[in-house]
Amino acid sequence: MSDFIERAKFSCALGGALTTIEGIPRAVPIVHAAGGCASALSGTYNLAAGYRGIGYCGGNMIPTTNIAENNVVFGGEERLEEQIEATLKALDADLYIVVSGCQVEIIGDDTVAVANRYRNRGVVGASTPGFSGNTYKGYDAVMTTLINNVIERADEKDPAAVNILGVVPGHDVFFRGNLDEIRSLLASIGVKANTFFGTGESVAAIRGYGSASLNIVLSPQAGLDSAKAFEREHGIPYVTAEIPIGPTGTEEFLRGIARALNIDGAVVDGVVARETKVYYSFLERLVDIYADLDFQRWLIVAADSYYAHALTRYLANDLGWIPFVTNIHDIEEEHAQARYDELFRDVDSRHKPLVLFERNPSELLEEVRRAWPDNHNEKYYNALSPAYVVGSVTERGLAEKLGAGFLSVAFPVSNRVILNKRIAGWNGALTLVEDLITSLVSSR
Amino acid sequence: MSKYSDELSYGFTAALAPPVRETRIGVCSAYCGGCSQLRGDVNSGCAQLQRRKFDQSGGCQLNLASGIVSSLTNVVMITHSPLGCNSRYVAMGGMRRMMRASKGKADEEFIWLHTNMGELDVVQGGIDKLRKAVLYAEKQYHPEAIIIANGCVPGIIGDDIDSLCQELADQVSAKLVPIHCEGFKSRYVASGYDSAYHGVLRFLIDPYERYDKALNHASGSRDEGEERFRFKQSRTVNLFNVGSNSNGDEVELCRVVKALGLNPRFLPLHATLDELKHIGEAALNVSVCATHDDYLLGHLKERFGTPYVIDTLPIGIKNTNIWLRKIAEFFHLEEEAERLIALETARLEEALAPIKERLKGKSVFVGGGETRILTTAEFFHSLGMKLLGVKAHNVDRFVEDILENVTDGKLFVEVAAGMPAEELNILSRLKPDLYCGHAGANGWVTRLGIPTMPLFGQTLNYMGYAGAFELARKADKVLRNTNFAKNISRNVELPLSEAWMASDVKDNIKERENA
């Protein structure tokens, strides 16, 4: 098991489960744990995910068994039954998902078995104790429960329908805007994307997602277990892809999906040509000020594997910034690190980025200082400047220490409000550029 | 000097962990009914035995305990638990910085660690990981103290963090402070304050040591510096801040105490360890909120002999006056206090007059921590507003007096930490013009269509005379445009069922089965 973590950019499995459930319209979590877990964890993703909110039934509205010391001694299953019965009466929902905390799992309560007794009343269960893993683990536990117990078996598959996996609500602070963008991108090549958490989703719609013919996993760390469950339970294969950002990334994404679904490449050609033209018609408006003031920056990216390469490649290959260092904090296994490192081969600037897998934020600053020669009071010192840090709010201190520009994009983000903003696709990239450059002109 | 706490005994710091408040104080955490009935049921002990059938997520003592100690200057926090406990820190770094900036304290980056306990650690124990984390914190950051908050998992499996701290004490220069705040141990989340102060008392507040200068002492006269110190100490008043007060509150309370010729200073939140060391050098310790600090004040009296005032919370004119009179009484400054009160009250009343005119007859409901809601409600009442009810996180001995003074015995009282389902049911019947509530509740009440204002805020003033004016001003401001709540309630769906909204919330209360 992994080591301690400094300033971890995660919650636990229960936190991941709750932020996932809060992403589903009219779904209600029932938490079998001590009284404080649910609202505290829900609060983490409300306050640190661009104020994403608490969904239909989050925060201190979350039904909780509120077990205490006596339950830890005597067991809490009876209390859970009472709480499920009471919740079914008190709260309206299209789906109730019982999830468990550390305390009850250690003492051996069988949360899922208790939940299953209420299956015919719209209740399902998932085991999500905090010690079982981080946010991703909770996301996959809830998704796997949906896949196994809620999504109906469909013999006939829709060749043009896909499910999007790996976009964890809140952990991708732009999740809803991104999913809406991905849906419209795929619609432009004739593919219907089921997003689970995007606009217009519902539990009724999710029940029918067994008829998709392909699952697309957009994260190297979240969604793979869910995709495997889909394959096992519903016979739906999966492909992995990267969140598309900007012209290069979005074209690659669409071509990959078109290949997997046997869609004519000419369809993609048309979309790419049209949208790239639109993209540059907007970006062109920035050209004069960009060139007159030299907005090219040395780039420092600190993000999870979901965003790190996609952001670096967009800012290097499309916007023309100089990728100095990219740190990925959420991959622990060495072979997985090596595999992710390979991705950076397609970063085509002359200066190649240093790719790091440091888990602790303070180590990134040390690495930057190691990788760039110190100023020994030289008269002519080649400084790492002008630089820009694209990361999470945790990197604000790093940016200040380096005297660099700063934008928070990856979780946690507590210094910006994100409603329907997105950074996916051609549209999202334009929003990202707006925000990056706004901070450079905000004092004018 | 408090009838609430004088009956309580304090002498727990020899133990590794403090007793929970359920056993130390006795507390009611589930109640719905009239105010006078609650008084009776608290006295008979019945109110303390109630639980709920349908329960919702409230607080966790780990959050409250960590909130206190993580504010101290130049410390590193380690949460010994899986990643979820204290994961809200990812959003707190900026907030902590703002608080420090508002107090003019040096900027510092907030550093916290998780031992990230996993399945294997549940079996094998997590002490080795904690050891590594402590040594990393020491090497990387050289903090003055490393504070370890113990979560449920190590609490249940029995990780011995105290022995580890003893073992490492000689290897690190930082002071090691174990905090026992496992969430499952107490439903009364304010137990977390005791947990935090237990650690502070044991490891960060040294016994008071001063040495007389041998030469001067021998000649029978002490030097001028010594005299000055003793005089200063005889006028020094420690005021104990809480996580929910703003710097503006502190400035205001210092102002009125200073006006009596005393030397006030705010502790212990945001303090340096050096300031904490000198916490015993005061003539009087004054509580701002008993729910927060009776444990600390009680123990400081034992250790340093410092008398204390634990009374009301200085919100609103009446309670600020009471609070000030108690302090003045101790220093025999009654006359000065009365002159100050007369002056302050006259000016404030004059300023409040036009606001009162607009707020008169408007109805209000207040929810949150027991002392704060009752004093805030009293102030609204004094403004001519109609008080429809209050919701307290819990009720214990510290509000007996205030409850006695609530003139309307039928005043609706709900006792719950959280439970927005019950609260919305009640509010949909009472339909107040304004709701003033704790963080976490206001959003739900807004969804119901009732305009809200926060009960506290780290950037807002609520305490003392200036705070009273701000409180009235805010209520007046909020009621000038209530479209936000109106539009939200029309367009956003609540998860509560019709059957629930039609039910009597009293039916949700049950007698508990066992402890």
Side-chain angles (χ1 to χ4, degrees):
Chain A
M1 194 61 201
S2 55
D3 228 343
F4 69 86
I5 308 185
E6 179 203 332
R7 287 181 279 173
K9 296 167 179 177
F10 283 112
S11 183
C12 61
L14 179 58
L18 290 172
T19 190
T20 303
I21 296 168
E22 286 171 15
I24 305 170
R26 287 181 55 84
V28 164
I30 299 174
V31 176
H32 187 30
C37 299
S39 68
L41 295 169
S42 180
T44 297
Y45 277 99
N46 178 25
L47 300 178
Y51 306 91
R52 62 148 296 193
I54 51 177
Y56 176 65
C57 184
N60 54 14
M61 190 62 91
I62 298 174
T64 301
T65 51
N66 196 355
I67 60 117
E69 203 147 25
N70 63 315
N71 304 103
V72 170
V73 179
F74 298 112
E77 291 190 6
E78 276 176 37
R79 172 70 195 112
L80 175 59
E81 284 182 348
E82 179 186 46
Q83 182 65 26
I84 294 175
E85 284 285 356
T87 303
L88 290 171
K89 288 196 194 100
L91 303 181
D92 281 336
D94 295 335
L95 184 65
Y96 301 87
I97 306 175
V98 182
V99 287
S100 54
C102 295
Q103 309 88 359
V104 300
E105 292 280 345
I106 292 177
I107 62 168
D109 277 7
D110 194 341
T111 305
V112 176
V114 174
N116 282 342
R117 285 175 219 155
Y118 297 84
R119 178 71 66 78
N120 58 358
R121 293 166 74 185
V123 181
V124 294
S127 168
T128 56
F131 59 75
S132 67
N134 62 23
T135 303
Y136 302 148
K137 184 82 182 175
Y139 166 85
D140 272 319
V142 168
M143 293 303 283
T144 302
T145 293
L146 293 180
I147 291 159
N148 292 344
N149 303 318
V150 177
I151 295 174
E152 290 151 7
R153 271 72 181 160
D155 295 333
E156 240 174 78
K157 304 292 182 195
D158 178 349
V162 299
N163 296 322
I164 306 294
L165 297 172
V167 180
V168 182
H171 210 75
D172 174 1
V173 301
F174 301 93
F175 75 99
R176 195 152 153 213
N178 279 347
L179 285 170
D180 287 358
E181 193 64 30
I182 286 165
R183 185 172 43 204
S184 75
L185 286 173
L186 289 173
S188 71
I189 60 165
V191 174
K192 178 185 175 287
N194 304 322
T195 65
F196 294 91
F197 315 107
T199 303
E201 292 286 350
S202 68
V203 172
I206 289 172
R207 287 186 202 281
Y209 289 171
S211 65
S213 58
L214 183 70
N215 285 318
I216 303 170
V217 185
L218 287 179
S219 162
Q221 293 290 307
L224 267 179
D225 288 351
S226 308
K228 284 174 187 157
F230 250 128
E231 199 163 44
R232 205 167 48 237
E233 293 289 321
H234 300 272
I236 305 174
Y238 69 88
V239 294
T240 57
E242 186 171 77
I243 175 111
I245 301 176
T248 308
T250 311
E251 179 177 349
E252 184 188 276
F253 173 75
L254 290 179
R255 290 203 187 282
I257 303 305
R259 243 190 334 272
L261 292 172
N262 293 317
I263 292 168
D264 186 359
V267 177
V268 182
D269 291 345
V271 172
V272 167
R274 188 181 71 230
E275 292 301 324
T276 304
K277 202 168 171 204
V278 174
Y279 169 86
Y280 278 102
S281 76
F282 279 105
L283 193 73
E284 183 268 338
R285 297 159 63 180
L286 189 65
V287 168
D288 299 279
I289 189 79
Y290 188 102
D292 282 342
L293 298 182
D294 181 18
F295 283 153
Q296 186 192 47
R297 292 288 180 269
W298 285 95
L299 175 64
I300 295 152
V301 172
D304 40 33
S305 52
Y306 174 80
Y307 271 136
H309 172 261
L311 276 172
T312 307
R313 184 175 61 176
Y314 169 67
L315 294 171
N317 292 16
D318 293 294
L319 197 64
W321 284 14
I322 308 147
F324 173 59
V325 61
T326 294
N327 186 51
I328 301 102
H329 63 80
D330 64 345
I331 303 182
E332 288 182 18
E333 310 81 20
E334 267 178 36
H335 63 278
Q337 291 181 352
R339 214 164 44 236
Y340 196 84
D341 190 76
E342 295 269 300
L343 295 176
F344 287 84
R345 282 195 194 163
D346 66 0
V347 173
D348 64 6
S349 56
R350 188 177 300 162
H351 187 100
K352 301 295 177 195
L354 175 65
V355 179
L356 302 170
F357 294 90
E358 297 294 346
R359 195 175 34 193
N360 300 327
S362 63
E363 282 160 19
L364 175 56
L365 178 64
E366 286 181 12
E367 289 291 344
V368 167
R369 289 194 166 141
R370 253 196 292 278
W372 195 270
D374 282 344
N375 181 0
H376 295 293
N377 212 16
E378 290 107 315
K379 184 170 179 192
Y380 298 107
Y381 172 64
N382 182 16
L384 176 62
S385 168
Y388 206 111
V389 175
V390 180
S392 72
V393 74
T394 308
E395 276 70 42
R396 177 165 44 195
L398 172 78
E400 282 168 5
K401 286 177 187 119
L402 296 174
F406 170 64
L407 185 70
S408 61
V409 169
F411 180 86
V413 173
S414 60
N415 61 336
R416 304 171 68 190
V417 171
I418 313 289
L419 295 176
N420 77 345
K421 240 180 206 184
R422 57 209 59 195
I423 62 171
W426 287 281
N427 285 328
L430 288 171
T431 311
L432 179 61
V433 172
E434 282 172 359
D435 292 339
L436 285 169
I437 307 295
T438 293
S439 81
L440 299 181
V441 298
S442 59
S443 57
R444 286 170 76 93
Chain B
M1 208 161 74
S2 162
K3 67 176 207 170
Y4 308 124
S5 46
D6 289 348
E7 298 164 16
L8 297 172
S9 62
Y10 299 93
F12 300 112
T13 49
L16 297 177
V20 294
R21 287 209 183 171
E22 281 93 333
T23 50
R24 186 171 75 81
I25 291 178
V27 58
C28 162
S29 54
Y31 199 85
C32 284
C35 177
S36 54
Q37 196 197 341
L38 172 61
R39 280 201 297 268
D41 286 355
V42 167
N43 287 339
S44 70
C46 295
Q48 289 88 322
L49 294 172
Q50 298 190 338
R51 288 279 175 275
R52 291 188 153 82
K53 296 173 201 161
F54 174 67
D55 213 342
Q56 295 177 302
S57 185
C60 171
Q61 63 154 331
L62 174 121
N63 285 342
L64 274 62
S66 304
I68 298 280
V69 284
S70 66
S71 78
L72 300 175
T73 300
N74 197 10
V75 300
V76 168
M77 272 299 294
I78 298 178
T79 305
H80 184 39
S81 215
L83 287 173
C85 306
N86 275 337
S87 62
R88 76 202 158 95
Y89 278 160
V90 291
M92 300 309 277
M95 192 64 222
R96 186 176 184 275
R97 235 174 149 179
M98 273 162 56
M99 284 301 283
R100 291 186 63 82
S102 77
K103 288 168 197 297
K105 306 231 172 206
D107 187 26
E108 61 174 39
E109 204 165 7
F110 177 44
I111 304 297
W112 71 94
L113 275 65
H114 275 92
T115 51
N116 183 23
M117 290 183 79
E119 235 146 38
L120 202 61
D121 305 313
V122 173
V123 181
Q124 299 182 336
I127 287 295
D128 283 344
K129 271 170 124 172
L130 181 57
R131 183 183 291 110
K132 278 191 203 163
V134 170
L135 295 174
Y136 172 87
E138 166 78 9
K139 179 170 159 275
Q140 194 81 2
Y141 292 104
H142 312 291
E144 284 180 78
I146 296 170
I147 299 174
I148 300 157
N150 208 39
C152 288
V153 170
I156 295 173
I157 65 171
D159 269 0
D160 187 354
I161 61 168
D162 300 285
S163 296
L164 179 74
C165 289
Q166 276 178 4
E167 173 202 321
L168 294 178
D170 294 338
Q171 297 175 42
V172 299
S173 63
K175 290 192 173 177
L176 299 179
V177 186
I179 306 283
H180 291 272
C181 51
E182 304 84 352
F184 74 94
K185 285 207 171 148
S186 178
R187 282 200 175 90
Y188 185 176
V189 292
S191 291
Y193 299 131
D194 299 353
S195 305
Y197 289 135
H198 190 81
V200 169
L201 282 159
R202 291 189 73 203
F203 298 101
L204 298 180
I205 297 176
D206 296 330
Y208 178 40
E209 281 176 21
R210 281 186 64 84
Y211 301 98
D212 287 326
K213 286 182 184 157
L215 270 179
N216 286 335
H217 193 64
S219 65
S221 71
R222 289 189 295 239
D223 68 310
E224 198 186 336
E226 180 70 13
E227 289 301 333
R228 201 179 291 140
F229 170 78
R230 287 187 190 280
F231 176 73
K232 194 172 170 202
Q233 182 177 332
S234 74
R235 317 295 286 175
T236 294
V237 181
N238 286 335
L239 304 175
F240 289 79
N241 47 8
V242 296
S244 58
N245 68 225
S246 64
N247 186 53
D249 289 333
E250 295 182 10
V251 168
E252 166 67 1
L253 295 182
C254 276
R255 181 184 70 86
V256 292
V257 171
K258 221 177 249 172
L260 295 176
L262 300 171
N263 172 37
R265 57 178 187 187
F266 262 101
L267 289 162
L269 269 69
H270 315 287
T272 61
L273 297 200
D274 194 55
E275 285 165 337
L276 281 184
K277 267 186 200 160
H278 294 278
I279 199 169
E281 295 167 12
L284 182 67
N285 286 334
V286 178
S287 162
V288 166
C289 171
T291 305
H292 282 78
D293 48 31
D294 87 285
Y295 193 82
L296 179 58
L297 269 60
H299 280 95
L300 288 176
K301 185 177 180 188
E302 291 217 330
R303 190 170 300 178
F304 302 113
T306 320
Y308 56 75
V309 171
I310 295 180
D311 206 273
T312 189
L313 202 152
I315 283 183
I317 302 169
K318 181 177 159 190
N319 285 293
T320 301
N321 290 350
I322 294 174
W323 186 80
L324 205 52
R325 282 188 181 116
K326 290 275 177 187
I327 298 172
E329 190 187 325
F330 177 83
F331 292 99
H332 306 294
L333 295 166
E334 287 92 340
E335 259 177 59
E336 288 84 343
E338 290 311 321
R339 282 216 305 279
L340 177 66
I341 287 170
L343 181 74
E344 290 289 338
T345 314
R347 281 189 189 165
L348 179 57
E349 287 292 357
E350 196 183 312
L352 284 175
I355 300 178
K356 268 178 153 169
E357 207 47 52
R358 289 191 290 273
L359 290 177
K360 199 159 69 188
K362 293 274 190 288
S363 58
V364 63
F365 188 101
V366 188
E370 51 174 357
T371 336
R372 196 180 257 266
I373 55 159
L374 289 167
T375 50
T376 304
E378 185 282 324
F379 178 61
F380 283 137
H381 183 73
S382 78
L383 291 174
M385 296 178 80
K386 198 172 153 212
L387 187 59
L388 296 183
V390 293
K391 193 198 89 165
H393 284 165
N394 43 62
V395 164
D396 57 29
R397 62 174 62 219
F398 295 113
V399 290
E400 270 172 26
D401 259 12
I402 314 181
L403 275 180
E404 288 291 335
N405 292 336
V406 174
T407 42
D408 181 2
K410 287 196 198 108
L411 181 75
F412 188 87
V413 184
E414 188 204 4
V415 182
M419 281 308 292
E422 279 178 13
E423 198 169 20
L424 295 194
N425 173 311
I426 293 157
L427 291 172
S428 71
R429 292 154 205 261
L430 295 176
K431 294 192 173 56
D433 295 316
L434 177 68
Y435 173 88
C436 176
H438 194 275
N442 295 307
W444 291 112
V445 178
T446 302
R447 286 175 178 90
L448 193 66
I450 296 169
T452 62
M453 60 178 277
L455 179 71
F456 60 83
Q458 280 90 348
T459 53
L460 309 169
N461 292 16
Y462 287 85
M463 295 178 183
Y465 303 104
F469 182 68
E470 289 302 310
L471 191 51
R473 210 168 69 88
K474 189 170 264 309
D476 182 35
K477 185 206 71 152
V478 166
L479 291 174
R480 282 171 194 241
N481 188 343
T482 58
N483 283 341
F484 185 69
K486 207 186 299 169
N487 292 330
I488 292 292
S489 73
R490 280 183 192 152
N491 293 290
V492 174
E493 190 185 16
L494 281 169
L496 301 166
S497 70
E498 274 179 37
W500 171 266
M501 291 305 271
S503 71
D504 184 347
V505 289
K506 283 180 198 151
D507 296 341
N508 194 37
I509 307 285
K510 63 170 187 179
E511 293 285 304
R512 68 175 167 184
E513 303 88 30
N514 48 29

mmCIF file of all heavy atoms in Angstrom, chain B residues 50-68:
data_model
loop_
_atom_site.group_PDB
_atom_site.id
_atom_site.type_symbol
_atom_site.label_atom_id
_atom_site.label_comp_id
_atom_site.label_asym_id
_atom_site.label_seq_id
_atom_site.Cartn_x
_atom_site.Cartn_y
_atom_site.Cartn_z
ATOM 1 N N GLN B 50 -32.735 11.219 23.593
ATOM 2 C CA GLN B 50 -33.466 11.049 22.335
ATOM 3 C C GLN B 50 -32.553 10.859 21.134
ATOM 4 O O GLN B 50 -31.444 11.354 21.084
ATOM 5 C CB GLN B 50 -34.375 12.260 22.127
ATOM 6 C CG GLN B 50 -35.401 12.364 23.237
ATOM 7 C CD GLN B 50 -36.469 13.386 22.946
ATOM 8 O OE1 GLN B 50 -36.277 14.286 22.155
ATOM 9 N NE2 GLN B 50 -37.609 13.229 23.594
ATOM 10 N N ARG B 51 -33.078 10.105 20.166
ATOM 11 C CA ARG B 51 -32.400 9.868 18.892
ATOM 12 C C ARG B 51 -33.407 10.068 17.773
ATOM 13 O O ARG B 51 -34.563 10.342 18.009
ATOM 14 C CB ARG B 51 -31.869 8.429 18.842
ATOM 15 C CG ARG B 51 -30.690 8.163 19.737
ATOM 16 C CD ARG B 51 -29.402 8.636 19.114
ATOM 17 N NE ARG B 51 -28.308 8.477 20.053
ATOM 18 C CZ ARG B 51 -27.999 9.376 20.993
ATOM 19 N NH1 ARG B 51 -28.681 10.489 21.110
ATOM 20 N NH2 ARG B 51 -27.003 9.167 21.816
ATOM 21 N N ARG B 52 -32.935 9.838 16.541
ATOM 22 C CA ARG B 52 -33.833 9.992 15.402
ATOM 23 C C ARG B 52 -33.981 8.700 14.634
ATOM 24 O O ARG B 52 -33.070 7.879 14.596
ATOM 25 C CB ARG B 52 -33.268 11.050 14.457
ATOM 26 C CG ARG B 52 -33.319 12.416 15.033
ATOM 27 C CD ARG B 52 -32.950 13.474 14.017
ATOM 28 N NE ARG B 52 -33.613 14.714 14.388
ATOM 29 C CZ ARG B 52 -33.137 15.542 15.307
ATOM 30 N NH1 ARG B 52 -32.005 15.302 15.916
ATOM 31 N NH2 ARG B 52 -33.812 16.631 15.612
ATOM 32 N N LYS B 53 -35.140 8.555 13.971
ATOM 33 C CA LYS B 53 -35.323 7.403 13.079
ATOM 34 C C LYS B 53 -34.658 7.728 11.737
ATOM 35 O O LYS B 53 -33.817 7.001 11.255
ATOM 36 C CB LYS B 53 -36.812 7.147 12.871
ATOM 37 C CG LYS B 53 -37.537 6.752 14.145
ATOM 38 C CD LYS B 53 -39.039 6.691 13.870
ATOM 39 C CE LYS B 53 -39.818 6.804 15.165
ATOM 40 N NZ LYS B 53 -41.224 7.186 14.958
ATOM 41 N N PHE B 54 -35.120 8.838 11.155
ATOM 42 C CA PHE B 54 -34.487 9.301 9.914
ATOM 43 C C PHE B 54 -33.419 10.312 10.317
ATOM 44 O O PHE B 54 -33.721 11.334 10.912
ATOM 45 C CB PHE B 54 -35.522 9.949 8.995
ATOM 46 C CG PHE B 54 -34.910 10.575 7.772
ATOM 47 C CD1 PHE B 54 -34.312 9.778 6.807
ATOM 48 C CD2 PHE B 54 -34.913 11.949 7.589
ATOM 49 C CE1 PHE B 54 -33.735 10.357 5.679
ATOM 50 C CE2 PHE B 54 -34.335 12.533 6.469
ATOM 51 C CZ PHE B 54 -33.748 11.720 5.512
ATOM 52 N N ASP B 55 -32.168 9.989 9.980
ATOM 53 C CA ASP B 55 -31.070 10.846 10.412
ATOM 54 C C ASP B 55 -30.299 11.333 9.190
ATOM 55 O O ASP B 55 -30.257 10.653 8.173
ATOM 56 C CB ASP B 55 -30.130 10.062 11.347
ATOM 57 C CG ASP B 55 -29.534 10.972 12.408
ATOM 58 O OD1 ASP B 55 -29.554 12.198 12.223
ATOM 59 O OD2 ASP B 55 -29.044 10.444 13.423
ATOM 60 N N GLN B 56 -29.709 12.499 9.323
ATOM 61 C CA GLN B 56 -28.920 13.052 8.224
ATOM 62 C C GLN B 56 -27.531 13.407 8.728
ATOM 63 O O GLN B 56 -27.304 13.496 9.925
ATOM 64 C CB GLN B 56 -29.621 14.288 7.654
ATOM 65 C CG GLN B 56 -30.944 13.938 7.005
ATOM 66 C CD GLN B 56 -31.676 15.163 6.493
ATOM 67 O OE1 GLN B 56 -31.958 16.069 7.248
ATOM 68 N NE2 GLN B 56 -31.991 15.175 5.214
ATOM 69 N N SER B 57 -26.641 13.630 7.785
ATOM 70 C CA SER B 57 -25.245 13.836 8.153
ATOM 71 C C SER B 57 -25.037 15.162 8.871
ATOM 72 O O SER B 57 -25.497 16.198 8.412
ATOM 73 C CB SER B 57 -24.371 13.777 6.902
ATOM 74 O OG SER B 57 -23.025 13.861 7.270
ATOM 75 N N GLY B 58 -24.375 15.106 9.991
ATOM 76 C CA GLY B 58 -24.085 16.332 10.742
ATOM 77 C C GLY B 58 -22.605 16.641 10.688
ATOM 78 O O GLY B 58 -22.001 16.644 9.623
ATOM 79 N N GLY B 59 -22.024 16.861 11.843
ATOM 80 C CA GLY B 59 -20.609 17.193 11.871
ATOM 81 C C GLY B 59 -19.785 16.029 12.365
ATOM 82 O O GLY B 59 -20.297 14.975 12.713
ATOM 83 N N CYS B 60 -18.471 16.250 12.376
ATOM 84 C CA CYS B 60 -17.547 15.232 12.856
ATOM 85 C C CYS B 60 -16.561 15.944 13.765
ATOM 86 O O CYS B 60 -16.058 17.014 13.433
ATOM 87 C CB CYS B 60 -16.803 14.611 11.684
ATOM 88 S SG CYS B 60 -15.465 13.533 12.194
ATOM 89 N N GLN B 61 -16.291 15.361 14.930
ATOM 90 C CA GLN B 61 -15.416 16.071 15.867
ATOM 91 C C GLN B 61 -14.000 16.237 15.326
ATOM 92 O O GLN B 61 -13.289 17.153 15.716
ATOM 93 C CB GLN B 61 -15.431 15.406 17.248
ATOM 94 C CG GLN B 61 -14.919 13.997 17.302
ATOM 95 C CD GLN B 61 -14.391 13.669 18.707
ATOM 96 O OE1 GLN B 61 -13.938 14.550 19.422
ATOM 97 N NE2 GLN B 61 -14.453 12.406 19.096
ATOM 98 N N LEU B 62 -13.608 15.372 14.383
ATOM 99 C CA LEU B 62 -12.277 15.520 13.789
ATOM 100 C C LEU B 62 -12.156 16.868 13.066
ATOM 101 O O LEU B 62 -11.133 17.546 13.138
ATOM 102 C CB LEU B 62 -12.006 14.370 12.817
ATOM 103 C CG LEU B 62 -10.713 14.458 12.014
ATOM 104 C CD1 LEU B 62 -9.836 13.255 12.298
ATOM 105 C CD2 LEU B 62 -10.968 14.559 10.527
ATOM 106 N N ASN B 63 -13.227 17.260 12.367
ATOM 107 C CA ASN B 63 -13.179 18.535 11.649
ATOM 108 C C ASN B 63 -13.054 19.706 12.605
ATOM 109 O O ASN B 63 -12.311 20.654 12.358
ATOM 110 C CB ASN B 63 -14.443 18.715 10.810
ATOM 111 C CG ASN B 63 -14.439 17.851 9.576
ATOM 112 O OD1 ASN B 63 -13.392 17.369 9.154
ATOM 113 N ND2 ASN B 63 -15.591 17.616 9.011
ATOM 114 N N LEU B 64 -13.801 19.662 13.707
ATOM 115 C CA LEU B 64 -13.784 20.779 14.652
ATOM 116 C C LEU B 64 -12.434 20.853 15.366
ATOM 117 O O LEU B 64 -11.872 21.932 15.538
ATOM 118 C CB LEU B 64 -14.927 20.628 15.666
ATOM 119 C CG LEU B 64 -16.266 21.202 15.196
ATOM 120 C CD1 LEU B 64 -16.774 20.493 13.962
ATOM 121 C CD2 LEU B 64 -17.293 21.139 16.294
ATOM 122 N N ALA B 65 -11.947 19.684 15.771
ATOM 123 C CA ALA B 65 -10.665 19.656 16.464
ATOM 124 C C ALA B 65 -9.559 20.148 15.536
ATOM 125 O O ALA B 65 -8.738 20.997 15.906
ATOM 126 C CB ALA B 65 -10.363 18.241 16.948
ATOM 127 N N SER B 66 -9.562 19.638 14.307
ATOM 128 C CA SER B 66 -8.512 20.027 13.360
ATOM 129 C C SER B 66 -8.604 21.507 13.019
ATOM 130 O O SER B 66 -7.599 22.159 12.775
ATOM 131 C CB SER B 66 -8.622 19.207 12.075
ATOM 132 O OG SER B 66 -8.584 17.842 12.366
ATOM 133 N N GLY B 67 -9.828 22.017 12.992
ATOM 134 C CA GLY B 67 -10.025 23.435 12.689
ATOM 135 C C GLY B 67 -9.317 24.323 13.702
ATOM 136 O O GLY B 67 -8.737 25.348 13.353
ATOM 137 N N ILE B 68 -9.350 23.920 14.961
ATOM 138 C CA ILE B 68 -8.703 24.718 16.016
ATOM 139 C C ILE B 68 -7.178 24.657 15.855
ATOM 140 O O ILE B 68 -6.517 25.682 15.696
ATOM 141 C CB ILE B 68 -9.068 24.159 17.415
ATOM 142 C CG1 ILE B 68 -10.583 24.253 17.653
ATOM 143 C CG2 ILE B 68 -8.256 24.848 18.511
ATOM 144 C CD1 ILE B 68 -11.098 25.582 18.056
#
